[in-house]
């Protein structure tokens, strides 16, 4: 209890010293404020930007692997597009073969994409992303519907001309109208609207958005586009099971089945690519790791300056209070009592500066930056407080030790 009481007294002395030199306190914490602000604002920007970019890739799915001609990444110095271009397209028969034989996939689907213009009366929407899908598409990818419904098994199997559209297309083709049940044209053919995608809003980058998308049955897509071995190449996608093996077992199984299906010899390379959404996510993460490192460098210099400022103030404070330290020690004050006074003072200076910097970052999050939404995370708040506390300890430990080791007689005699 005595030790706790002495520590509490040290705390009071530190706070009293800060209040008695308010101007010096404010000036000394400015350096830490700028440093913590620099680091946390960079990390907040990086985290928010990374989150926004990764959300733009949500259309790739989670724990999903696709079979395509082209690869998302390549180990070669120059991307060998000419080699991928010569590969055969996927076919619907290959999809049904994999769907019926895969054991490590929770769901398998096929889809094809094209950009087209859709119409209703005199209204038209150019550049719509038209996607033809199988019934199992909703089992592999999320299909967020704002209203209406997904395709039925009968509509898919009979290739009915029904369509699900995005909010931008709905507002363009059917202004001030309810689009469900209405008729629209895709490449001259009539389609009936049965569903409306949930609004996504603007993305940071120009990736396919559900707001500008149309989805129709795969068979209906095949009636208006040449899809298959000698036409447009569809993608086959598989969702891995939620277990420890994840996509690893699925990748090995797909490779073996598809090589056997295509009659590839053991010495021949794969004539297909297995692409995972993790490839892109990992690449994005690596880029932002570099940016975060740059943030540490930028903020580190500011923190260093702030730390030197606090250390300088603490040396001055020890010099000014040498006589008081001598009196305290002559009255029986322990070394750790003196040490804690100055260490707490340095920590308070640094923490107040850190908290001020974090508050400034929080205020910045209210500034509108278009589609980028800034969010100050708990992780960054803890990081800011932790760094500022560490700077306070490092900056104040030497002056505090010097103050604790002062000879009481010499200290009292000092002027």
């Amino acid at each position: 209890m005595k030790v706790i009481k002495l520590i509490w007294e040290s705390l009071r002395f530190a706070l009293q010293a800060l209040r008695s030199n308010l101007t010096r306190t404010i000036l000394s914490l400015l350096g830490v404020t700028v440093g913590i602000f620099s680091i946390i604002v960079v990390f907040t920007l990086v985290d928010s930007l990374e989150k926004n970019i990764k959300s733009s890739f949500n259309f790739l799915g989670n724990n999903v692997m696709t079979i395509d001609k082209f690869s998302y990444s390549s180990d070669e110095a120059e991307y060998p597009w000419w080699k991928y271009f010569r590969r055969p397209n996927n076919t619907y028969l290959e999809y049904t073969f994999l769907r019926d034989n895969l054991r490590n996939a929770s769901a398998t689907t096929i889809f094809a994409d094209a950009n087209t213009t859709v119409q209703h009366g005199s209204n038209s929407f150019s550049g719509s992303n038209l996607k033809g899908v199988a019934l199992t598409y909703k089992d592999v990818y999320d299909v967020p519907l704002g209203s209406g419904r997904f395709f039925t098994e009968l509509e898919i199997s009979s290739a009915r001309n029904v369509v699900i559209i995005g909010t931008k297309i709905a507002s363009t083709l059917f202004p001030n109208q309810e689009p469900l049940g209405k008729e629209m044209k895709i490449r001259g053919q009539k389609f009936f609207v049965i569903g409306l995608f949930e609004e996504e809003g603007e993305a940071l980058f120009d990736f396919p958005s559900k707001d500008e998308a149309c989805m129709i049955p795969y068979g209906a897509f095949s009636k208006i586009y040449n899809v298959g071995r000698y036409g447009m190449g569809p993608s086959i996608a598989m969702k891995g099971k939620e277990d420890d093996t994840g996509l690893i077992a699925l990748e090995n199984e797909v490779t073996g089945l598809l090589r056997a299906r295509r009659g590839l010899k053991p010495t021949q390379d794969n004539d297909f690519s297995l692409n995972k959404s993790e490839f892109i996510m990992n690449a994005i993460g690596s880029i932002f790791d570099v940016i975060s490192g740059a943030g540490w460098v930028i903020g580190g210099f500011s923190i260093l300056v702030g730390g030197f400022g606090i250390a300088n103030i603490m040396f001055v404070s020890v010099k000014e209070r040498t006589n008081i330290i001598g009196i305290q020690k002559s009255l029986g004050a322990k070394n750790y009592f003196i040490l804690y006074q100055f260490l707490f003072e340095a920590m308070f200076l640094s923490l107040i500066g850190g908290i001020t910097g974090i508050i400034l970052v929080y205020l910045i999050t209210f500034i509108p930056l278009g589609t980028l939404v800034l969010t100050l995370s708990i992780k960054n708040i803890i990081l800011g407080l932790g760094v500022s506390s560490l700077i306070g300890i490092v900056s104040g430990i030497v002056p505090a030790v010097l103050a604790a080791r002062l000879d009481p007689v010499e200290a009292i005699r000092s002027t």
Side-chain angles (χ1 to χ4, degrees):
M1 289 298 294
K2 184 179 178 181
V3 172
I4 294 173
K5 186 176 180 181
L6 287 173
I7 292 174
W8 173 250
E9 287 296 319
S10 299
L11 196 62
R12 280 201 317 113
F13 271 107
L15 288 171
Q16 193 173 18
L18 291 176
R19 283 199 300 266
S20 62
N21 296 285
L22 196 57
T23 303
R24 188 171 70 186
T25 299
I26 293 172
L27 291 174
S28 58
L29 64 83
L30 279 177
V32 178
T33 298
V34 172
I36 294 298
F37 173 80
S38 301
I39 289 177
I40 302 305
V41 78
V42 168
F43 285 166
T44 299
L45 283 168
V46 167
D47 290 348
S48 301
L49 191 60
E50 184 176 7
K51 182 180 178 182
N52 196 298
I53 290 175
K54 285 185 175 180
S55 68
S56 298
F57 284 95
N58 282 343
F59 65 91
L60 294 175
N62 182 38
N63 200 31
V64 172
M65 182 168 61
T66 60
I67 304 172
D68 299 293
K69 288 173 63 172
F70 292 86
S71 175
Y72 289 170
S73 61
S74 175
D75 296 331
E76 300 182 32
E78 186 178 354
Y79 187 79
W81 61 269
W82 55 90
K83 179 174 71 175
Y84 299 145
F85 184 77
R86 292 197 297 267
R87 289 175 171 179
N89 292 333
N90 298 324
T91 64
Y92 192 82
L93 290 177
E94 288 175 344
Y95 154 65
T96 56
F97 171 75
L98 293 173
R99 182 194 63 192
D100 297 338
N101 290 280
L102 284 175
R103 296 293 174 264
N104 289 296
S106 60
T108 306
T109 193
I110 187 171
F111 62 91
D113 295 273
N115 287 328
T116 189
T117 299
V118 294
Q119 296 175 306
H120 170 72
S122 59
N123 299 323
S124 64
F125 187 95
S126 300
S128 171
N129 176 247
L130 179 66
K131 191 184 295 287
V133 303
L135 184 65
T136 51
Y137 185 85
K138 64 180 180 358
D139 300 323
V140 177
Y141 297 98
D142 290 332
V143 185
L145 294 178
S147 59
R149 59 177 178 81
F150 193 70
F151 309 112
T152 64
E153 186 173 359
L154 179 61
E155 288 169 340
I156 293 287
S157 60
S158 60
R160 296 271 180 88
N161 283 10
V162 288
V163 62
I164 302 171
I165 62 175
T167 53
K168 281 190 177 180
I169 294 176
S171 60
T172 302
L173 299 189
F174 309 101
N176 303 317
Q177 298 180 54
E178 172 58 50
L180 295 180
K182 297 290 194 308
E183 182 185 285
M184 58 182 283
K185 286 188 177 181
I186 303 175
R187 290 178 67 88
Q189 292 196 23
K190 295 179 181 179
F191 282 78
F192 291 92
V193 180
I194 62 167
L196 192 66
F197 289 118
E198 191 177 274
E199 186 174 3
E200 279 190 354
E202 294 293 333
L204 187 62
F205 295 101
D206 189 22
F207 292 120
S209 169
K210 288 284 192 298
D211 296 345
E212 301 175 355
C214 292
M215 187 177 287
I216 62 176
Y218 186 82
F221 188 93
S222 301
K223 289 190 295 185
I224 55 180
Y225 289 101
N226 182 19
V227 185
R229 184 70 74 191
Y230 303 105
M232 184 183 298
S235 294
I236 299 173
M238 299 133 295
K239 191 175 184 67
K241 292 182 178 179
E242 300 293 340
D243 53 29
D244 295 335
T245 57
L247 294 177
I248 299 174
L250 178 59
E251 182 177 4
N252 294 331
E253 186 181 19
V254 169
T255 301
L257 286 173
L258 198 54
R259 284 182 64 87
R261 174 75 183 183
R262 293 187 177 182
L264 296 176
K265 297 178 181 178
T267 55
Q268 290 180 291
D269 293 333
N270 292 339
D271 58 357
F272 54 88
S273 292
L274 298 179
N275 294 315
K276 305 173 190 174
S277 55
E278 283 79 1
F279 290 163
I280 294 178
M281 299 304 179
N282 292 338
I284 293 172
S286 299
I287 293 171
F288 281 100
D289 286 343
V290 175
I291 298 174
S292 296
W296 273 110
V297 173
I298 294 168
F301 283 110
S302 300
I303 283 288
L304 195 62
V305 172
F308 283 136
I310 290 177
N312 182 53
I313 292 300
M314 294 313 300
F315 278 117
V316 172
S317 185
V318 171
K319 184 70 175 175
E320 288 178 347
R321 289 151 56 189
T322 301
N323 187 265
I324 297 173
I325 293 169
I327 295 172
Q328 288 176 336
K329 296 192 80 171
S330 66
L331 293 174
K334 302 293 185 182
N335 284 351
Y336 66 81
F337 178 77
I338 307 298
L339 176 76
Y340 285 153
Q341 282 185 46
F342 291 94
L343 198 57
F344 285 150
E345 188 174 337
M347 284 184 62
F348 281 140
L349 275 172
S350 190
L351 270 174
I352 293 169
I355 292 170
T356 306
I358 290 170
I359 290 172
L360 291 175
V361 175
Y362 178 70
L363 293 175
I364 283 179
T365 60
F366 290 99
I367 299 175
L369 296 174
T371 58
L372 179 61
V373 179
L374 294 181
T375 304
L376 179 59
S377 65
I378 297 296
K379 179 191 74 174
N380 286 334
I381 292 174
I382 294 172
L383 177 65
L385 295 176
V387 170
S388 56
S389 299
L390 182 62
I391 289 299
I393 293 172
V394 172
S395 303
I397 190 67
V398 175
V401 169
L402 291 177
R405 290 181 177 178
L406 284 174
D407 182 84
V409 176
E410 295 295 329
I412 290 174
R413 287 176 179 175
S414 67
T415 56

